[in-house]
Amino acid sequence: MRKSGILLHISSLPSEYGIGKMGAQAYKFVDFLDECQIGLWQILPLSPTSYGDSPYQSFSAFAGNPYFIDFEILEAGGLLHRSEYANIKWEQNPDTIDYEFLYNNVYDVLKKAYARFRPSQSYKLFELVSRDWLDDYALFMSLKSYYKGEPWYKWPENIAMAENEAVDYAKDILKDEIKFHKFIQFCFYQQWNQLKKYANQKGISIIGDIPIYVSHDSAEVWKMPELFCLDEQKTPIAVAGCPPDCFSPTGQLWGNPLYDWRYHKRTEFDWWIKRLKNASETYDIIRIDHFRGFESFYCIPYGNETAEVGIWQKGPDADIFKKAEAVLGKLNIIAENLGFITPEVQRMLDKTGYPGMKVVEFAFSDSENEYFPHNFTTTHCYSYTGTHDNDTLVGWYKSLDKASLEFCRDYLNVKYDNEIPDAMLRTVWSGISEAAIAQFQDVIGADTECRMNTPSTFSGNWKYRAQKSDFTKELKEKLLKLNTLYNRCSKPIKKTERIDFNEQAEFSEGFKRRTSTP
């Protein structure tokens, strides 16, 4: 069945509380998707953000982001009084996210809820089924609070090295703080599971992201150093990134510790299987970021300031997924196979049978480019206008050189530049891919200031917020028409139910853009 989807992270949902939450506006967004006959909602990692506010640099590979917990739901459950959160001026700027303000206020509100919380049977069950990661994470976050947010490698040596005596002492003196962080995770997963259930009941599947790497400042690196290539002081020997290319002349230095794949093979990928199990229960479909890193990965010496010097080393290849599926059953995975893909990576993808990705923004070099829908050789792929790492369609076409822009207009058969975004949507939706997905910014015609992330930059990212006013009747009609015209409706439509679009405005007419560029 042909499908369509919208990429919009929880953080970007409309909200009165400084960031998107898993409350009323999230449910309204699900209703919006349902009314548009869109069957896929793609989000970014749900994990707590750390360095640079990036969901791809998290304190945990398993935990949920406390900022997404909805206060109104906690109030309905008797854990908060409205005055305890509504009197705070959350909306410093409704167009962006102030992560520092959230850090300084969200936890104070959640502590008020925790003071009224009494453990239930469902909480005890959550503690039990999450014990593989929850205990270490709650202790880790309690220690971070105790040490004023400092990364674990700046803590006193005995606790930084997780010596048993120091860990036992910390558990004793921080026991209430540890319970608080467990409570936060219980609230997060309760609210998320209810939201996901609501979406599933509407026939909407959630696509969630797994970053291949974890942050250096994470519970896993602190408490499970054997998983990574570290020295005796738990300092990375080498870190992750990408070599220089035409987009980044000095490469991309991500700084994440690399996995000790020999250890993972000896333990039959036990930690990875637990991670994939958690993801398969959290999402309906898992998108694995930097999928090629399982075939071979780029190693940059620790301490280097750029990614210009590095070597490639072999990863576990498809063996990790074969083992995982032998334990967990068939996994619903999308492989992020963008960038330079070697024959070895393609063979790994073929072995797994997972669909890859096609980003049409990458296509406009020549007519033979593999990202053009007319060059797709299989329906078994997910096609995108752009991803969270791309500029918006408006920002993208404005950045094209004269020759590329002319080629773009010719290919899309448009006369004016401001017709390009809608023409790109039609191109992706009309293609043969099993799923067509666009950023929400692209379906509303937002300019480059609404870009979610610019790779290799360390500030100003992950702050995009949609507004209630974006969800217009015209937008709903536009998306419903796309899905109807190109057979991507999430539910079968009988002939007697088909919409007469001749009674509606033309495709782009009446649609209010955030920006209008002639």
Side-chain angles (χ1 to χ4, degrees):
M1 181 177 174
R2 287 162 61 83
K3 297 171 285 189
S4 68
I6 295 295
L7 169 55
L8 185 69
H9 193 35
I10 300 292
S11 64
S12 298
L13 290 169
S15 168
E16 299 172 3
Y17 304 108
I19 193 170
K21 290 183 173 288
M22 299 180 292
Q25 292 302 321
Y27 285 81
K28 287 180 180 179
F29 181 65
V30 171
D31 291 341
F32 174 82
L33 295 177
D34 182 47
E35 291 164 5
C36 296
Q37 289 274 15
I38 289 172
L40 299 170
W41 177 12
Q42 182 165 339
I43 59 175
L44 305 183
L46 288 171
S47 43
T49 54
S50 61
Y51 179 68
D53 307 316
S54 170
Y56 294 88
Q57 295 283 355
S58 176
F59 295 133
S60 168
F62 294 84
N65 193 329
Y67 299 158
F68 298 162
I69 295 172
D70 187 73
F71 300 143
E72 293 173 357
I73 293 176
L74 294 182
E75 181 191 0
L79 295 179
L80 282 176
H81 298 312
R82 186 163 182 79
S83 60
E84 292 173 326
Y85 66 88
N87 292 339
I88 298 171
K89 188 180 178 183
W90 297 99
E91 294 295 273
Q92 307 297 311
N93 182 344
D95 293 325
T96 190
I97 297 170
D98 185 339
Y99 285 97
E100 183 178 1
F101 182 85
L102 294 172
Y103 177 78
N104 290 327
N105 288 274
V106 167
Y107 289 99
D108 289 343
V109 173
L110 293 176
K111 283 192 174 179
K112 291 179 173 66
Y114 171 63
R116 299 186 180 95
F117 174 69
R118 298 296 178 267
S120 60
Q121 284 301 115
S122 57
Y123 172 79
K124 292 173 183 176
L125 179 62
F126 171 75
E127 260 194 321
L128 179 65
V129 300
S130 306
R131 63 188 182 277
D132 283 336
W133 63 269
L134 184 62
D135 291 349
D136 286 346
Y137 171 75
L139 174 59
F140 176 81
M141 293 304 295
S142 300
L143 284 162
K144 283 193 74 68
S145 178
Y146 184 82
Y147 291 114
K148 311 301 182 186
E150 290 280 14
W152 67 261
Y153 44 84
K154 291 187 178 180
W155 299 345
E157 185 177 2
N158 59 346
I159 193 64
M161 298 304 292
E163 295 176 4
N164 290 338
E165 187 176 344
V167 167
D168 290 341
Y169 179 70
K171 286 179 179 178
D172 184 50
I173 66 168
L174 298 174
K175 53 181 174 287
D176 194 57
E177 186 77 8
I178 290 168
K179 291 177 183 177
F180 169 59
H181 284 284
K182 289 184 177 182
F183 160 77
I184 288 176
Q185 290 307 304
F186 174 65
C187 291
F188 174 89
Y189 275 103
Q190 262 202 332
Q191 292 191 9
W192 171 252
N193 289 336
Q194 286 301 310
L195 177 59
K196 179 178 176 292
K197 181 180 178 181
Y198 184 77
N200 291 166
Q201 288 171 341
K202 296 271 187 177
I204 296 166
S205 298
I206 307 289
I207 303 175
D209 234 4
I210 283 191
I212 184 173
Y213 295 117
V214 302
S215 173
H216 185 197
D217 186 23
S218 65
E220 286 80 15
V221 177
W222 170 64
K223 200 65 166 51
M224 306 176 75
E226 65 275 9
L227 301 176
F228 308 95
C229 292
L230 310 173
D231 65 16
E232 292 181 355
Q233 296 301 309
K234 297 200 291 195
T235 301
I237 297 167
V239 295
C242 281
D245 56 24
C246 59
F247 298 105
S248 181
T250 60
Q252 296 182 34
L253 180 63
W254 302 334
N256 307 79
L258 297 167
Y259 293 108
D260 183 347
W261 285 120
R262 290 174 297 182
Y263 173 84
H264 287 276
K265 288 178 182 177
R266 286 198 304 272
T267 56
E268 297 187 297
F269 303 110
D270 177 66
W271 180 82
W272 263 101
I273 289 171
K274 289 174 181 174
R275 190 180 185 194
L276 288 167
K277 181 177 186 294
N278 174 264
S280 67
E281 293 168 348
T282 305
Y283 313 118
D284 299 300
I285 304 168
I286 307 166
R287 191 197 85 116
I288 297 186
D289 191 57
H290 196 59
F291 186 77
R292 72 146 302 154
F294 292 99
E295 190 281 320
S296 58
F297 53 96
Y298 192 61
C299 307
I300 305 160
Y302 181 72
N304 282 20
E305 295 183 356
T306 72
E308 293 169 280
V309 176
I311 60 170
W312 288 96
Q313 291 192 357
K314 286 292 183 182
D317 207 275
D319 292 349
I320 186 172
F321 300 105
K322 289 180 180 178
K323 180 61 179 177
E325 293 194 342
V327 176
L328 303 174
K330 183 63 179 175
L331 294 167
N332 202 350
I333 285 175
I334 304 168
E336 189 269 287
N337 61 331
L338 305 174
F340 179 68
I341 301 301
T342 64
E344 291 82 5
V345 176
Q346 186 57 52
R347 283 196 289 272
M348 177 180 67
L349 188 60
D350 293 341
K351 289 176 188 175
T352 63
Y354 302 147
M357 293 174 57
K358 304 284 188 183
V359 177
V360 181
E361 273 191 20
F362 293 156
F364 290 84
S365 58
D366 59 75
S367 60
E368 296 181 0
N369 191 294
E370 66 175 296
Y371 292 119
F372 270 132
H374 69 259
N375 289 324
F376 291 1
T377 58
T378 177
T379 61
H380 194 49
C381 63
Y382 281 55
S383 58
Y384 292 75
T385 54
T387 73
H388 64 277
D389 282 335
N390 293 108
D391 204 343
T392 66
L393 285 174
V394 173
W396 167 75
Y397 80 67
K398 286 181 177 181
S399 70
L400 294 176
D401 59 50
K402 186 176 180 180
S404 297
L405 184 58
E406 184 176 357
F407 179 39
C408 180
R409 286 194 296 261
D410 286 344
Y411 184 84
L412 298 174
N413 193 29
V414 298
K415 185 175 181 180
Y416 301 105
D417 291 353
N418 64 355
E419 298 175 307
I420 288 173
D422 280 348
M424 280 281 278
L425 289 172
R426 290 194 297 271
T427 297
V428 173
W429 255 246
S430 65
I432 66 170
S433 62
E434 65 182 68
I437 299 176
Q439 293 188 93
F440 184 72
Q441 297 95 306
D442 289 344
V443 301
I444 65 171
D447 211 326
T448 193
E449 70 269 9
C450 295
R451 181 173 184 163
M452 191 61 161
N453 180 51
T454 302
S456 298
T457 61
F458 303 103
S459 63
N461 298 313
W462 319 108
K463 295 185 176 184
Y464 168 67
R465 298 182 67 188
Q467 305 299 314
K468 293 180 185 178
S469 58
D470 291 328
F471 298 88
T472 62
K473 177 184 176 183
E474 291 82 7
L475 178 60
K476 189 183 300 182
E477 291 172 350
K478 166 183 173 172
L479 292 171
L480 182 56
K481 182 173 184 179
L482 268 177
N483 288 320
T484 304
L485 284 175
Y486 299 117
N487 189 29
R488 293 192 181 275
C489 288
S490 57
K491 300 168 187 172
I493 298 180
K494 298 177 183 178
K495 288 183 179 180
T496 55
E497 297 175 338
R498 291 196 181 277
I499 299 164
D500 183 0
F501 287 107
N502 292 324
E503 296 179 0
Q504 296 182 2
E506 289 297 318
F507 188 80
S508 301
E509 203 172 292
F511 177 56
K512 298 177 181 178
R513 298 181 182 281
R514 277 208 186 163
T515 62
S516 181
T517 306

